[in-house]
Amino acid sequence: MPEKIRLGIIGGGGDSLIGVLHRVASFINDNYEIVGAVFNADHEQSLSFARQIDIPTNRIYRDFDTLIEEEMKLLPSERIQVCSVLTPNFLHFPMAKKLLDNGFHVICEKPMTTTLGEARLLQKAHEKAGTVFALTHTYTGYPMVRQMREMIRAGELGKIHKVDARYYQGWINSVIHDPEERSRVWRLNPKKAGISSCMGDIGVHAFNMVEYTTGLQVKSLLCDFNYLYDDNQMDVDGTVLIRLGQHVKGVIRSSQVATGEENGLAISIYGDKAALRWEQERPNFLYKITDTDPVRIYKPGHAYNSKLSLDGTKLPPGHPEGIFDAMANIYLGAARAIRGEDYNDGEFPTMTDGVRGMTFIEATVASHKAGNVWVDMD
Amino acid sequence: MPEKIRLGIIGGGGDSLIGVLHRVASFINDNYEIVGAVFNADHEQSLSFARQIDIPTNRIYRDFDTLIEEEMKLLPSERIQVCSVLTPNFLHFPMAKKLLDNGFHVICEKPMTTTLGEARLLQKAHEKAGTVFALTHTYTGYPMVRQMREMIRAGELGKIHKVDARYYQGWINSVIHDPEERSRVWRLNPKKAGISSCMGDIGVHAFNMVEYTTGLQVKSLLCDFNYLYDDNQMDVDGTVLIRLGQHVKGVIRSSQVATGEENGLAISIYGDKAALRWEQERPNFLYKITDTDPVRIYKPGHAYNSKLSLDGTKLPPGHPEGIFDAMANIYLGAARAIRGEDYNDGEFPTMTDGVRGMTFIEATVASHKAGNVWVDMD
Amino acid sequence: MPEKIRLGIIGGGGDSLIGVLHRVASFINDNYEIVGAVFNADHEQSLSFARQIDIPTNRIYRDFDTLIEEEMKLLPSERIQVCSVLTPNFLHFPMAKKLLDNGFHVICEKPMTTTLGEARLLQKAHEKAGTVFALTHTYTGYPMVRQMREMIRAGELGKIHKVDARYYQGWINSVIHDPEERSRVWRLNPKKAGISSCMGDIGVHAFNMVEYTTGLQVKSLLCDFNYLYDDNQMDVDGTVLIRLGQHVKGVIRSSQVATGEENGLAISIYGDKAALRWEQERPNFLYKITDTDPVRIYKPGHAYNSKLSLDGTKLPPGHPEGIFDAMANIYLGAARAIRGEDYNDGEFPTMTDGVRGMTFIEATVASHKAGNVWVDMD
Amino acid sequence: MPEKIRLGIIGGGGDSLIGVLHRVASFINDNYEIVGAVFNADHEQSLSFARQIDIPTNRIYRDFDTLIEEEMKLLPSERIQVCSVLTPNFLHFPMAKKLLDNGFHVICEKPMTTTLGEARLLQKAHEKAGTVFALTHTYTGYPMVRQMREMIRAGELGKIHKVDARYYQGWINSVIHDPEERSRVWRLNPKKAGISSCMGDIGVHAFNMVEYTTGLQVKSLLCDFNYLYDDNQMDVDGTVLIRLGQHVKGVIRSSQVATGEENGLAISIYGDKAALRWEQERPNFLYKITDTDPVRIYKPGHAYNSKLSLDGTKLPPGHPEGIFDAMANIYLGAARAIRGEDYNDGEFPTMTDGVRGMTFIEATVASHKAGNVWVDMD
């Protein structure tokens, strides 16, 4: 293994949860070293956080543009190689684009952009740059999600006939039901959060999981949102009927008012031979069911798993790894790509996933606004 | 307790699964005695079955009409009081109607009829007869489903915002994928099975569960079916978007090609205070979840349960009761009604449930055929 | 099937839980008809209960001796064939013995007797009578327990190396911690309840399950009881180290002060090839685990199950059957034996199980009282 | 937060699982920086591993003694502050002792030593040194284990009456049943592995968990081992009856031939008011059960948890953290202690836990060898 990849971080300072998730994930497989950052819009806080986590402050920049400017002055052998973009949603696009335009690799939080138009512009910038772009759909980093994908690829389900994915959370309850709170919070403000709350924030993960595991594309969809209150402009709940390639039908359910649900992402794929079920809150258990045999529970780290799955497990069976490890697997895949090493398809979500995600979000909004009609994803 | 209720059985002979379910259920609480029957269209088989289960053969009739005719000749104090109708679907309506017209109480398997038109005719016959009509939506007999209903009634969930019900089975796989089989089986033949397979056979249970537990009515729906093959005329899978009273939205998912699913009925109701989750295959566990407190698992037989729930449990906590006991609870409720005793709303499904169910089935078909549009349930 | 077996019931009247369990179990497979009974020591209550459950009162006898006397006057073709003995523990022995001595078949609740001496006398009476004696170790009636036994017999676990069984309940808490209550209750009074509370009431079920599923015999044991209070003379908790044939070691854990446990019987058997785990409160799930393969969950009603298991399931997979059905399976096995039909070893617990159980209980008491030393079971 | 703690690593190079666990754990909360190491007995491999994980090689020493010698030459402000000892068991004692004697803080893998005598010598060295000594009983780092401890401390269980802990694994099957393998492997060689395999390797974790969660001490024990084969000198399975303070009784079960069990550590504590249950393989679910209320499931990150528990969770509820995070919590506690900050009792296992563990192991061996008799732990 060559020396560590020089990583820059944009955002994620202070108590940021996404910050600790990315930082730890970058450490886990000994591939990255944080060499530069703009942790916070406030430069003093940025410096203070760098000191707190004991990172040298000489490359903690005043702002994003300064980071680019100063790093470009450094020799390529010293320069940040890849930047993790952890800023508020509306900044993902301009920052990622400028990074790509300047030849950096990018690890970008989702949603990749706030519109499909931006996504397509970013895709072009990426094609031109030829660097690595990884989108952190974290859940695809779980070993048993990867195992699911590989079992489907290997034909273990036979012809797929039905897809059912769900992402339910309850957290928005505490703001949605209070008129003042819901008018104030940025997440329910379309000017700040983009065109969708529920589908854009979590539904898109369920969508990504469907395409990731099945290898099929959603061709068209019909969506019904729920806003709950007349004065609320953002979806906080929605159900999407989907039609995929190979005449597969399915449903994606997403809610932020599913009281008591914590991070309830779950997916079931039904083929004519067998089906697979997985839930994010018990990530180390993958169920294979058939009409005739005992239920099988697959767990990480066993030799029966695929290479893609085993690659994402560090300890022997029975030692639970969790979401930090899932994110670390995505960083691991990106590291391989950045280093020009071989890596398997499916090791990290790409620009294509980002464009698909934005297409999905815009299509759900379009379907709902047109009165719950079918909208093409093409 | 007065003497046992005189029960007649139509259908359910031989190896019939529905037969053993009803027969055992009628025994369980010591309320019924089988005194007459037409177990089978073939009279010899009917007699032979009566001998096999050691029931006197003198009132095992040649056919249904003979049963009515002969029983009507008996004194009211000897005559069958209630008949369980366990025949193929298309016979439910004519038989139940004739029974009601002759003053019998009726316990009827679902679907109650094959069309909404029939259901309304039956409803009128029932209003005229004034006898008891119980529809065996078996799952409402489970103590924890009843507990769910009572907790919602008591306001423990607050304002309901989201409803999610599912009924997934895999059993049709073995016939649907074989061209000859699927052309032959009566269940996929609209002439014999009515207008819907998946929604009519199992989706309607999920629908009934939604209305039973929430006390809300589905006002309109939008449905997408899947037939899988061009030469198949019956839905084997479908997803229904629903809108209920009080601006509640939800989804009902139903499939007969959900490979590996056995009898996967499940329901989640989300209110602004709490949510409840229940699954048929683990019927003795009811989950109450909130955004702030530990998850609570309610189990049968504890003093914290409602009267309606406790009434349906015979043994102390930890002694699993199952589907025979659920059906027995419905027979128990019907017995109370037949005897003119007090009984609680919710002890057994009624004619109203039957009419609602047929309305639902017809609405799903109408919505699908019109291109997945919203259809009113009124 | 010939006509129903004529069943007498001793005890189990009124609100008796064991009464309803046996009565329903006898109905379930259409094999038995209750023709005589002494439901209660109080004859009026016995008659009243017979009327309540609508059983003819002409053979509701004043007391047990009268039942024997009067039934013996009847023709064999009219006489009670089998009696279920559901009376308090200390009456099991004299009643079962008198029944056997008079040529009746017997279905007896456990513990079979209150001492091993009685058990051996009963065994002799049984050998002499040559009738059927079934002991209601109910849990061996569950289809997945039977499947466990058959899988072990078929060698699926390889050489067994470890056995771990548990029966934990919390119900005695409400009496044990109150000085007055614990001095009053018959269960903690050795004069009324025999030599053991916890081990005699529930530990013996765990022991029976070990011998039933493995086919091995416990050869010696070392036991430590807990009485909790100096003024309490009965064990309310105990752990037993066991040594079985074939050099197998294991442990049986039993407690009535395991707060919050309802009916927590569970068993794990570990062989060198695989292991099996089963829990009474989720009776329809049997886990097979190995060091190298996905966990397998076996469920009732599937064709992959053994004949002995399938025989005990009435409905298709996914329709939960419970403890009434387990008991009904034992009644079914007894019916086959009473009718002289073929039946499989393992269909119902026998006199041998009863003697083994009493041997176990006495050995645990002896071991504890001698200061936790090894005691032979021979 | 001051700058990072300078960490040295002894052992854990190459593919070592314990190595990656400690290394990642040290990163997770931004408290440690690895500045020196002897990753491997082979210096070239040690250097090569340092390059692989991109750690400066200038302080990668030839051997442990050189590390001490060279580090002692450095200024205290540059010197390694704490060393993680990850070497084979028999080296824990001499290395930890020398580190303490030279004023280093120590983080030590378990078993702390190979004999109780060594443990007591180490304890004295520690008292003299006055530095921090943390023993990595990893499982006490799980948030829900900490919650368990705090709930018990707060009296939520009332008076404890019963303790039941288990640690079952199946991994030794692959060597124990092969005569050559079992004669060769160091773990089953008492000269290399110490006096106990099963109890020393895993049983001691269950023991530690009992004392950690209850705050009670095991006073005496009675143990029965299983060696399986005459030519095997090490226990691969054992059951221990325990008596704790306050007249509590319990059982610790441990096995390495529990086929199919992966890392099956589990603990149940029963009080007169309530009980708590936890399993290592589902570490984010803590069950509280009582005789009268719904079961409660506690999960990490909720405000209802204790401070000690919340301190060990980084993300909101529903984002599964695992064993790396548990170990990281122990490193976090040790960091606080090393920095002289306030920390809570229970944040990391100490020398006292190490001495208790060795006392337990020696007592189990003594009890077994004396013929399964009670042995005091004092």
Side-chain angles (χ1 to χ4, degrees), chain D residues 198-245:
Chain D
C198 180
M199 211 51 72
D201 191 29
I202 60 175
V204 68
H205 273 300
F207 163 80
N208 178 257
M209 195 70 87
V210 166
E211 294 204 336
Y212 179 81
T213 55
T214 64
L216 297 173
Q217 285 204 321
V218 175
K219 297 295 185 192
S220 60
L221 60 79
L222 182 159
C223 174
D224 188 34
F225 282 155
N226 199 348
Y227 299 85
L228 255 70
Y229 298 100
D230 288 343
D231 63 1
N232 171 38
Q233 292 175 282
M234 299 287 273
D235 55 301
V236 291
D237 177 280
T239 305
V240 192
L241 306 181
I242 56 174
R243 292 182 181 168
L244 301 100

Coordinates of all heavy atoms in Angstrom, one line a residue, chain D residues 198-245:
Chain D
C198 N -11.2 -22.3 27.6 CA -12.6 -21.8 27.5 C -12.9 -20.7 28.5 O -13.4 -19.6 28.2 CB -13.6 -22.9 27.6 SG -15.3 -22.4 27.4
M199 N -12.6 -21.0 29.8 CA -12.9 -20.1 30.9 C -12.0 -18.9 30.8 O -12.4 -17.8 31.1 CB -12.8 -20.8 32.2 CG -13.8 -20.3 33.3 SD -15.5 -20.2 32.7 CE -16.0 -21.9 32.7
G200 N -10.7 -19.1 30.4 CA -9.7 -18.1 30.4 C -9.9 -17.1 29.2 O -9.7 -15.9 29.3
D201 N -10.4 -17.7 28.1 CA -10.5 -16.9 26.9 C -11.9 -16.1 26.9 O -12.0 -14.9 26.6 CB -10.4 -17.8 25.7 CG -10.2 -17.0 24.4 OD1 -9.7 -15.8 24.5 OD2 -10.6 -17.5 23.4
I202 N -13.0 -16.9 27.2 CA -14.3 -16.2 27.0 C -15.1 -16.2 28.3 O -15.8 -15.3 28.6 CB -15.1 -16.8 25.9 CG1 -15.3 -18.3 26.0 CG2 -14.3 -16.6 24.5 CD1 -16.2 -18.9 24.9
G203 N -15.0 -17.3 29.1 CA -15.8 -17.4 30.3 C -15.6 -16.1 31.2 O -16.5 -15.6 31.8
V204 N -14.3 -15.7 31.2 CA -13.9 -14.6 32.1 C -14.6 -13.3 31.6 O -14.9 -12.4 32.4 CB -12.4 -14.4 32.1 CG1 -11.9 -14.0 30.7 CG2 -11.9 -13.5 33.2
H205 N -15.0 -13.2 30.4 CA -15.7 -12.0 29.9 C -17.1 -12.0 30.5 O -17.7 -11.0 30.9 CB -15.9 -12.0 28.4 CG -14.8 -11.4 27.6 ND1 -14.4 -10.1 27.8 CD2 -13.9 -11.9 26.7 CE1 -13.4 -9.8 26.9 NE2 -13.1 -10.9 26.3
A206 N -17.7 -13.2 30.5 CA -19.1 -13.3 31.1 C -19.0 -13.0 32.6 O -19.9 -12.3 33.1 CB -19.6 -14.7 30.9
F207 N -18.0 -13.5 33.3 CA -17.8 -13.2 34.7 C -17.6 -11.7 34.9 O -18.3 -11.1 35.7 CB -16.5 -13.9 35.2 CG -16.0 -13.4 36.5 CD1 -16.6 -13.7 37.7 CD2 -14.9 -12.5 36.5 CE1 -16.1 -13.2 38.9 CE2 -14.4 -12.0 37.6 CZ -15.0 -12.3 38.8
N208 N -16.8 -11.1 34.0 CA -16.6 -9.6 34.2 C -17.9 -8.9 34.0 O -18.2 -7.9 34.7 CB -15.5 -9.2 33.1 CG -15.3 -7.7 33.2 OD1 -15.8 -6.9 32.4 ND2 -14.6 -7.2 34.2
M209 N -18.7 -9.3 33.0 CA -19.9 -8.7 32.7 C -20.9 -8.7 33.9 O -21.6 -7.8 34.2 CB -20.6 -9.3 31.5 CG -21.7 -8.6 30.9 SD -21.1 -7.1 30.1 CE -20.7 -7.8 28.5
V210 N -20.9 -9.9 34.6 CA -21.7 -10.1 35.8 C -21.3 -9.0 36.9 O -22.2 -8.3 37.4 CB -21.6 -11.5 36.4 CG1 -22.2 -11.6 37.8 CG2 -22.3 -12.5 35.4
E211 N -20.0 -8.9 37.2 CA -19.6 -8.0 38.2 C -19.8 -6.6 37.8 O -20.1 -5.7 38.6 CB -18.2 -8.3 38.6 CG -18.0 -9.7 39.3 CD -16.8 -9.8 40.2 OE1 -15.8 -9.1 40.0 OE2 -16.9 -10.7 41.1
Y212 N -19.5 -6.3 36.5 CA -19.6 -4.9 36.0 C -21.1 -4.4 36.1 O -21.3 -3.3 36.5 CB -19.2 -4.9 34.5 CG -19.3 -3.5 33.9 CD1 -18.3 -2.5 34.2 CD2 -20.3 -3.2 33.1 CE1 -18.4 -1.3 33.6 CE2 -20.4 -1.9 32.5 CZ -19.4 -1.0 32.8 OH -19.5 0.3 32.2
T213 N -22.0 -5.3 35.6 CA -23.4 -4.8 35.6 C -24.1 -4.7 36.9 O -24.8 -3.8 37.2 CB -24.3 -5.6 34.6 OG1 -24.2 -7.0 35.0 CG2 -23.8 -5.4 33.2
T214 N -23.8 -5.8 37.7 CA -24.5 -5.8 39.0 C -23.9 -5.0 40.1 O -24.5 -4.7 41.1 CB -24.6 -7.3 39.5 OG1 -23.3 -7.8 39.8 CG2 -25.3 -8.2 38.5
G215 N -22.6 -4.8 40.0 CA -21.9 -4.2 41.1 C -21.7 -5.1 42.3 O -21.2 -4.7 43.4
L216 N -22.0 -6.4 42.1 CA -21.8 -7.4 43.1 C -20.6 -8.2 42.8 O -20.1 -8.3 41.7 CB -23.0 -8.4 43.1 CG -24.4 -7.8 43.5 CD1 -25.5 -8.8 43.3 CD2 -24.4 -7.3 44.9
Q217 N -20.0 -8.8 43.8 CA -18.9 -9.7 43.7 C -19.2 -11.2 43.8 O -20.0 -11.5 44.7 CB -17.8 -9.3 44.7 CG -17.1 -8.0 44.4 CD -15.7 -8.0 45.0 OE1 -15.6 -8.5 46.1 NE2 -14.7 -7.5 44.3
V218 N -18.7 -12.0 43.0 CA -18.8 -13.4 43.1 C -18.0 -13.8 44.3 O -16.8 -13.5 44.4 CB -18.3 -14.2 41.8 CG1 -18.3 -15.7 42.1 CG2 -19.2 -13.8 40.7
K219 N -18.6 -14.5 45.3 CA -17.9 -14.9 46.5 C -17.3 -16.3 46.4 O -16.3 -16.6 47.0 CB -18.9 -14.8 47.7 CG -19.5 -13.4 48.0 CD -18.4 -12.5 48.5 CE -18.9 -11.1 48.9 NZ -17.8 -10.1 49.0
S220 N -18.1 -17.2 45.8 CA -17.6 -18.6 45.7 C -18.2 -19.2 44.4 O -19.2 -18.7 43.9 CB -18.0 -19.4 46.9 OG -19.4 -19.4 47.1
L221 N -17.6 -20.3 44.0 CA -18.1 -20.9 42.8 C -17.8 -22.4 42.8 O -17.0 -22.9 43.5 CB -17.4 -20.2 41.6 CG -15.9 -20.3 41.4 CD1 -15.4 -21.6 40.9 CD2 -15.5 -19.2 40.5
L222 N -18.6 -23.1 41.9 CA -18.4 -24.5 41.7 C -18.4 -24.7 40.2 O -19.4 -24.3 39.5 CB -19.5 -25.3 42.4 CG -19.5 -26.8 42.3 CD1 -20.4 -27.4 43.5 CD2 -20.0 -27.4 41.0
C223 N -17.4 -25.4 39.7 CA -17.2 -25.4 38.2 C -17.1 -26.9 37.7 O -16.4 -27.7 38.4 CB -16.0 -24.6 37.9 SG -15.6 -24.7 36.1
D224 N -17.7 -27.1 36.6 CA -17.5 -28.4 35.9 C -17.0 -28.1 34.5 O -17.7 -27.4 33.7 CB -18.8 -29.2 35.9 CG -18.6 -30.6 35.3 OD1 -17.5 -31.2 35.6 OD2 -19.5 -31.1 34.7
F225 N -15.8 -28.6 34.1 CA -15.3 -28.4 32.8 C -15.6 -29.6 31.9 O -15.9 -30.7 32.4 CB -13.8 -28.3 32.8 CG -13.3 -26.9 33.3 CD1 -12.0 -26.8 33.9 CD2 -14.0 -25.8 33.1 CE1 -11.5 -25.6 34.3 CE2 -13.5 -24.5 33.5 CZ -12.2 -24.5 34.1
N226 N -15.4 -29.4 30.6 CA -15.4 -30.5 29.7 C -14.2 -30.4 28.8 O -14.0 -29.4 28.2 CB -16.7 -30.6 28.9 CG -17.0 -31.9 28.2 OD1 -16.1 -32.8 28.2 ND2 -18.2 -32.1 27.7
Y227 N -13.4 -31.5 28.7 CA -12.2 -31.5 27.9 C -12.5 -32.3 26.6 O -11.7 -32.2 25.7 CB -11.1 -32.2 28.6 CG -10.7 -31.5 29.9 CD1 -11.3 -31.7 31.1 CD2 -9.6 -30.5 29.9 CE1 -10.9 -31.1 32.3 CE2 -9.3 -29.8 31.1 CZ -9.9 -30.1 32.3 OH -9.6 -29.5 33.4
L228 N -13.6 -33.0 26.6 CA -14.0 -33.8 25.4 C -13.2 -35.0 25.1 O -13.7 -36.1 24.8 CB -14.1 -32.9 24.1 CG -15.5 -32.5 23.7 CD1 -16.1 -31.6 24.7 CD2 -15.6 -32.0 22.3
Y229 N -11.8 -34.8 25.1 CA -11.0 -36.0 24.7 C -9.9 -36.2 25.8 O -9.5 -35.2 26.4 CB -10.3 -35.7 23.4 CG -11.3 -35.6 22.2 CD1 -11.6 -34.4 21.8 CD2 -11.9 -36.8 21.7 CE1 -12.6 -34.3 20.7 CE2 -12.8 -36.6 20.7 CZ -13.1 -35.4 20.2 OH -14.1 -35.3 19.2
D230 N -9.5 -37.4 26.1 CA -8.6 -37.7 27.1 C -7.2 -37.1 26.9 O -6.5 -36.7 27.8 CB -8.4 -39.2 27.3 CG -9.6 -39.9 27.9 OD1 -10.5 -39.1 28.5 OD2 -9.8 -41.1 27.8
D231 N -6.9 -36.9 25.6 CA -5.6 -36.4 25.3 C -5.6 -34.9 25.2 O -4.6 -34.2 24.8 CB -5.0 -37.0 24.0 CG -5.9 -36.6 22.8 OD1 -6.9 -35.9 23.0 OD2 -5.6 -37.1 21.7
N232 N -6.7 -34.3 25.5 CA -6.8 -32.8 25.5 C -6.7 -32.3 27.0 O -7.5 -32.7 27.8 CB -8.1 -32.3 24.9 CG -8.3 -30.8 25.1 OD1 -7.4 -30.1 25.0 ND2 -9.6 -30.4 25.4
Q233 N -5.8 -31.4 27.2 CA -5.6 -30.9 28.6 C -6.3 -29.6 29.0 O -6.1 -29.1 30.1 CB -4.1 -30.7 28.8 CG -3.3 -32.1 28.7 CD -1.8 -31.8 28.8 OE1 -1.2 -31.4 27.9 NE2 -1.3 -32.0 30.0
M234 N -7.0 -29.1 28.0 CA -7.6 -27.7 28.2 C -9.1 -27.8 28.2 O -9.6 -28.5 27.3 CB -7.1 -26.8 27.2 CG -5.6 -26.5 27.2 SD -5.0 -25.5 28.6 CE -5.2 -23.9 27.9
D235 N -9.7 -27.1 29.1 CA -11.2 -27.0 29.0 C -11.6 -26.3 27.7 O -11.1 -25.3 27.3 CB -11.7 -26.2 30.2 CG -11.1 -24.8 30.3 OD1 -9.8 -24.7 30.4 OD2 -11.8 -23.8 30.3
V236 N -12.6 -26.9 27.1 CA -13.2 -26.3 25.9 C -14.7 -26.0 26.2 O -15.4 -25.5 25.3 CB -13.1 -27.2 24.7 CG1 -11.6 -27.2 24.3 CG2 -13.7 -28.5 24.9
D237 N -15.1 -26.2 27.4 CA -16.5 -26.0 27.8 C -16.6 -26.1 29.3 O -15.9 -26.8 29.9 CB -17.4 -27.1 27.2 CG -18.8 -27.1 27.6 OD1 -19.2 -27.5 28.7 OD2 -19.7 -26.6 26.8
G238 N -17.5 -25.2 29.9 CA -17.6 -25.3 31.4 C -18.8 -24.6 31.9 O -19.3 -23.6 31.2
T239 N -19.4 -25.1 33.0 CA -20.5 -24.4 33.6 C -20.1 -24.1 35.0 O -19.5 -24.9 35.7 CB -21.8 -25.3 33.6 OG1 -22.0 -25.7 32.2 CG2 -23.0 -24.5 34.2
V240 N -20.4 -22.9 35.5 CA -20.0 -22.4 36.8 C -21.2 -22.0 37.6 O -21.9 -21.1 37.2 CB -19.0 -21.3 36.7 CG1 -18.3 -21.0 38.0 CG2 -18.0 -21.5 35.6
L241 N -21.4 -22.6 38.7 CA -22.4 -22.1 39.7 C -21.8 -21.1 40.5 O -20.7 -21.2 41.0 CB -22.9 -23.3 40.6 CG -23.4 -24.6 39.9 CD1 -23.9 -25.6 41.0 CD2 -24.6 -24.2 39.0
I242 N -22.5 -19.9 40.7 CA -21.8 -18.8 41.4 C -22.7 -18.4 42.6 O -24.0 -18.5 42.5 CB -21.5 -17.6 40.5 CG1 -22.7 -17.1 39.8 CG2 -20.4 -18.0 39.5 CD1 -22.4 -15.9 39.0
R243 N -22.0 -17.9 43.6 CA -22.7 -17.2 44.7 C -22.1 -15.9 44.9 O -20.9 -15.7 45.0 CB -22.6 -18.1 46.0 CG -23.4 -19.4 45.9 CD -23.4 -20.2 47.1 NE -24.1 -21.4 46.9 CZ -24.1 -22.5 47.6 NH1 -23.4 -22.5 48.7 NH2 -24.8 -23.6 47.3
L244 N -23.0 -14.9 44.8 CA -22.5 -13.5 44.9 C -22.8 -12.9 46.3 O -23.5 -13.5 47.1 CB -23.1 -12.6 43.8 CG -22.8 -13.1 42.4 CD1 -24.0 -13.9 41.8 CD2 -22.5 -11.9 41.5
G245 N -22.4 -11.7 46.5 CA -22.8 -11.0 47.7 C -24.3 -10.8 47.7 O -25.0 -11.0 46.7

